[in-house]
Amino acid sequence: MSIPNEALQKLVQEIETQAITAQREINVVKAAVASKQRDIRMLELTSTEVKQLSSDTKVYEGVGKMFMYTPTENVQTRLVSETTELKSDISSLNKKLHYLETTYKNSREHIDQIFKSSGR
């Protein structure tokens, strides 16, 4: 029992489209992870700089076009919470990346199987 060539071509096209889509999404997710890791490094650097300041140093944060005084403890708390949030985002992106890589690999394997079975 063999599958008609037209059906086989359609199946290969669908699987290849899925593989291409997965590859594109893999690139997007990798870029997002890199961006978030860069943000984490910047937040950690800022945090170490803020920790080195004396307790009487005034810290100002940008709000739109102006700056507002913010206690050092509040700045440090915000930096830690943003870092934690970014690490959580990276974790979920890595899970998505693993899923996409598995999808891509499976799609390629299916295409190879189709070509091997049709070549008999």
Side-chain angles (χ1 to χ4, degrees), residues 12-82:
V12 168
Q13 265 185 333
E14 288 176 16
I15 294 173
E16 193 161 2
T17 302
Q18 185 180 16
I20 290 169
T21 303
Q23 186 64 40
R24 284 185 187 142
E25 287 184 34
I26 286 171
N27 292 335
V28 169
V29 169
K30 283 182 179 180
V33 167
S35 171
K36 290 187 185 294
Q37 286 174 336
R38 206 172 18 256
D39 291 344
I40 286 175
R41 281 193 300 268
M42 198 167 2
L43 287 170
E44 288 172 347
L45 177 62
T46 304
S47 179
T48 57
E49 293 293 324
V50 169
K51 283 179 186 175
Q52 293 174 357
L53 297 174
S54 63
S55 59
D56 61 338
T57 304
K58 294 189 178 199
V59 178
Y60 295 88
E61 288 188 290
V63 180
K65 292 185 177 182
M66 61 185 226
F67 294 94
M68 287 184 54
Y69 167 74
T70 307
T72 309
E73 300 83 32
N74 292 0
V75 172
Q76 194 63 30
T77 304
R78 181 186 59 79
L79 291 172
V80 168
S81 70
E82 285 182 24

